[in-house]
Amino acid sequence: MTLKNTYKNIINLIKDDFIMESCTKCGNPNVIIKRKASGQALCKDCFIKSIEKKVIQTIKKENFIEKGDKVLVALSGGKDSVVTLEILNSYAERHIIELCAVTIDEGIAGYREEGVEIAKAHAKRLGIPHKVVSFKESFGIDLDEIMARDDHRGSCTYCGVFRRWIINRAAREFKATKIATGHNLDDETQAILMNYLEGNTENLAKIGPKTESKSELFTVKIKPLREIPEKEIGLYALAKGLDIHLAACPYAQESFRMEVSNILKDLTKEHPTIMYSTLRGFDKIRPAIRQELAHDYEFDRCKRCGEPSSNKLCRACTFLEELGK
Amino acid sequence: MTLKNTYKNIINLIKDDFIMESCTKCGNPNVIIKRKASGQALCKDCFIKSIEKKVIQTIKKENFIEKGDKVLVALSGGKDSVVTLEILNSYAERHIIELCAVTIDEGIAGYREEGVEIAKAHAKRLGIPHKVVSFKESFGIDLDEIMARDDHRGSCTYCGVFRRWIINRAAREFKATKIATGHNLDDETQAILMNYLEGNTENLAKIGPKTESKSELFTVKIKPLREIPEKEIGLYALAKGLDIHLAACPYAQESFRMEVSNILKDLTKEHPTIMYSTLRGFDKIRPAIRQELAHDYEFDRCKRCGEPSSNKLCRACTFLEELGK
């Protein structure tokens, strides 16, 4: 997708926020966003600075990185992962951390190719070590092949499990000390609200800014964009002129997450701070929930692939056996 | 409102649940409800029994009543409070508890009169000591008079505070050991979800099956219908031939609670167990939240009215001073 198409898509996403007002910070009349939550109107430069400042604040507050960390970015080529890479690169430029990236090719014809190319171009531009790993080479089968079968469990079920498997392994191969994912405020509040509604307190105890598994077999995962709304990430990418992959996955289905996403989007129209307040409230009760409900599973290694697993076979290998691979 | 009108209203409320199937429990072909959540189809008698059984289970599980309790029912004449009275009366008939009731006349012309009459009739029918207490006699001003002023804070703000004041005082006058309110599953999950979304963890810590204030100045409040969906309470009243006040308060406004109520109703169509799962999930994390966040305020007595208050003036008296009463 070219930058022009990207532009059209993002304008559509944020059109409610366009207004005629000058920048609250510097007076520049070319305002690109009016934040309903804070009342701030911002020009391009001040908007870019505000996003970077907020992400850096989150990184500090949550102790996401330490000097000397090697951070692996899970880089799909979509706006969230590209922006994660871009902002973390400012730490790499100042030699605080080292960066590397992995892109997963699930094997979805007509969709994934563009994301892979965009991811490669960003890694090359920033001089970051980058691997593309496919489902096919890892598991002997790709998502299109799985979805052509009659007995599949739904695309997202495989995709989530197989991607996590590849990312965990890539982190060890790169000797990464952290894995950064592009989860944004929308993703995080959707997960929280889904689990509130489903009463799934065990999952609720697992949500948070970073994974805190005591097992050394897992690399700690961090979410630098956790407090940034999805549409502001899109606007940041546009304002910085970053090429991003905007196509939607052809296998995306109506799901409970989508219903919850629509509920939050609708509520945000009249209550612009609702996603922030949901996240803050959750973060306040999170320590209590976690202490009460989080289980530290004993992790051993999967008998088939050697990856960490609380059962004899990890979920990826369970699926692969089902698929006869 | 006559029973015929009541019938029409309730049919409207539950029409999605009507189906042609015989009773899962007894085979009776005259089924009045099909529960999507459980798949059960029930005839009138089995439905009535199932509601009573569920309420009795809740009362046991939550230790709502002990032998010798005197329970004051906050009886508006609406379906929830009438059904609360009706089911608690089965305990009074077996001499396990004593019952009494209070009805509050806020002074809303053309609306409240019918509710008061219905409440009186139920108390008389069951031989239960009953008081009607008006805002006018308690505070020298009624809700219509407050709402005619330009500087009011919105009807529900006064109504909630003034009603609680009257109910607490009536409980002491009746020497009641418990106060029973008609809060149902819908009310409870709305309150939970509102506070999840607003991140209001202090309010969240206060929600629960019974108030647990350590102050002896307050009578413990219990919610026997907390696990019964609103529409099943309406159907129970209908099935039992109970006259109920169905009119909506003329001062009811668009509110965040109403938005949240609509969200839950919409979700229930495709996810019939969603309110149950939200409540169960909340109840699981409630002890942890409460321990971490509930404050036990020091209660003293209001300098003006002598009711318990954490400030010099209680909220009711603060409002009354504003109103010049």
Side-chain angles (χ1 to χ4, degrees), chain B residues 158-169:
Chain B
Y158 300 102
C159 204
V161 169
F162 288 167
R163 271 192 300 172
R164 273 195 295 277
W165 190 97
I166 292 177
I167 291 170
N168 281 327
R169 181 160 284 203

Side-chain angles (χ1 to χ4, degrees), chain A residues 92-157:
Chain A
E93 278 174 345
R94 288 174 291 146
H95 307 289
I96 298 168
I97 61 169
E98 245 183 288
L99 274 182
C100 51
V102 63
T103 300
I104 293 161
D105 180 356
E106 307 92 355
I108 306 174
Y111 163 72
R112 176 46 64 207
E113 300 84 347
E114 193 192 344
V116 169
E117 288 315 308
I118 291 171
K120 277 185 184 168
H122 284 297
K124 194 175 167 194
R125 173 176 66 85
L126 300 171
I128 288 167
H130 179 227
K131 263 185 205 174
V132 180
V133 184
S134 69
F135 279 13
K136 189 78 182 180
E137 71 193 87
S138 303
F139 309 118
I141 190 166
D142 64 28
L143 202 60
D144 283 339
E145 287 167 338
I146 294 173
M147 294 305 285
R149 297 170 59 121
D150 294 330
D151 59 348
H152 69 74
R153 290 167 171 262
S155 55
C156 304
T157 308

Side-chain angles (χ1 to χ4, degrees), chain A residues 19 38 71 91 108 120-121 143 151 169 171 175 182 192 201 203 216 229 234 238 245 252 256 268 275 308 313:
Chain A
I19 54 129
S38 63
V71 181
Y91 288 82
I108 306 174
K120 277 185 184 168
L143 202 60
D151 59 348
R169 179 160 284 202
K175 297 196 179 8
I192 293 166
T201 51
N203 273 0
E216 283 169 22
L238 173 67
H245 184 217
F256 188 53
T268 297
M275 285 198 274
L313 280 191

Side-chain angles (χ1 to χ4, degrees), chain B residues 224-251:
Chain B
L225 306 186
R226 183 174 186 259
E227 298 181 43
I228 312 289
E230 186 185 6
K231 63 181 183 179
E232 295 202 10
I233 295 169
L235 184 61
Y236 177 88
L238 173 67
K240 293 271 286 187
L242 298 170
D243 194 19
I244 56 178
H245 184 217
L246 267 180
C249 175
Y251 293 126

Side-chain angles (χ1 to χ4, degrees), chain B residues 26-293:
Chain B
C26 74
N28 182 333
N30 298 312
V31 159
I32 66 162
I33 188 172
K34 161 88 182 178
R35 286 184 171 139
K36 278 190 204 161
S38 64
Q40 265 182 338
L42 296 175
C43 70
K44 190 167 115 171
D45 287 349
C46 290
F47 170 72
I48 289 172
K49 271 186 220 152
S50 87
I51 294 291
E52 292 171 351
K53 193 176 156 194
K54 187 71 189 285
V55 175
I56 289 166
Q57 275 172 352
T58 304
I59 290 173
K60 260 193 200 155
K61 183 179 71 179
E62 306 290 357
N63 284 315
F64 277 159
I65 52 185
E66 291 167 85
K67 189 160 170 59
D69 261 335
K70 183 165 186 181
V71 181
L72 172 68
V73 177
L75 183 67
S76 68
K79 62 185 186 322
D80 304 308
S81 65
V82 168
V83 169
T84 302
L85 187 78
E86 186 71 15
I87 297 182
L88 287 180
N89 189 54
S90 69
Y91 289 82
E93 278 174 344
R94 287 174 291 146
H95 307 289
I96 298 168
I97 61 169
E98 246 185 285
L99 273 182
C100 52
V102 62
T103 300
I104 294 161
D105 179 355
E106 307 91 356
I108 305 174
Y111 163 71
R112 175 47 63 208
E113 300 85 346
E114 192 191 347
V116 169
E117 288 316 309
I118 291 171
K120 277 184 185 167
H122 283 296
K124 195 174 166 193
R125 173 175 66 85
L126 301 171
I128 289 167
H130 179 227
K131 263 186 205 174
V132 180
V133 184
S134 69
F135 279 12
K136 189 79 181 179
E137 70 192 89
S138 302
F139 310 117
I141 190 166
D142 66 26
L143 202 62
D144 282 341
E145 287 167 338
I146 295 173
M147 294 305 287
R149 297 169 58 120
D150 293 330
D151 59 348
H152 69 74
R153 291 167 172 262
S155 55
C156 305
T157 308
Y158 300 102
C159 204
V161 169
F162 288 167
R163 271 192 300 172
R164 273 195 295 277
W165 190 97
I166 292 177
I167 291 170
N168 281 327
R169 181 160 284 203
R172 288 204 311 276
E173 286 170 2
F174 271 119
K175 297 197 178 10
T177 52
K178 301 277 162 64
I179 297 167
T181 61
H183 291 90
N184 58 43
L185 179 64
D186 298 54
D187 298 327
E188 202 74 345
T189 48
Q190 283 158 25
I192 293 165
L193 187 51
M194 281 169 66
N195 287 299
Y196 276 156
L197 289 166
E198 289 174 324
N200 195 334
T201 51
E202 205 162 311
N203 274 0
L204 213 50
K206 288 182 200 154
I207 301 172
K210 57 179 176 185
T211 55
E212 284 169 37
S213 168
K214 283 171 191 148
S215 165
E216 283 170 21
L217 302 171
F218 288 112
T219 309
V220 171
K221 285 183 184 147
I222 58 172
K223 300 172 181 169
L225 306 186
R226 183 174 186 259
E227 298 181 43
I228 312 289
E230 186 185 6
K231 63 181 183 179
E232 295 202 10
I233 295 169
L235 184 61
Y236 177 88
L238 173 67
K240 293 271 286 187
L242 298 170
D243 194 19
I244 56 178
H245 184 217
L246 267 180
C249 175
Y251 293 126
Q253 301 149 307
E254 277 301 313
S255 63
F256 186 54
R257 180 180 279 270
M258 226 177 267
E259 285 180 68
V260 167
S261 163
N262 290 335
I263 287 170
L264 285 166
K265 281 203 177 74
D266 282 349
L267 280 170
T268 297
K269 288 177 199 157
E270 290 298 316
H271 311 279
T273 59
I274 205 94
M275 287 199 272
Y276 298 101
S277 62
T278 303
L279 187 73
R280 297 255 153 76
F282 174 73
D283 282 349
K284 266 195 241 164
I285 60 176
R286 191 163 49 82
I289 298 176
R290 197 168 274 221
Q291 209 180 349
E292 187 101 348
L293 297 160

Side-chain angles (χ1 to χ4, degrees), chain A residues 188 221 227 249 284:
Chain A
E188 201 74 346
K221 283 182 185 151
E227 298 182 43
C249 174
K284 266 195 240 164

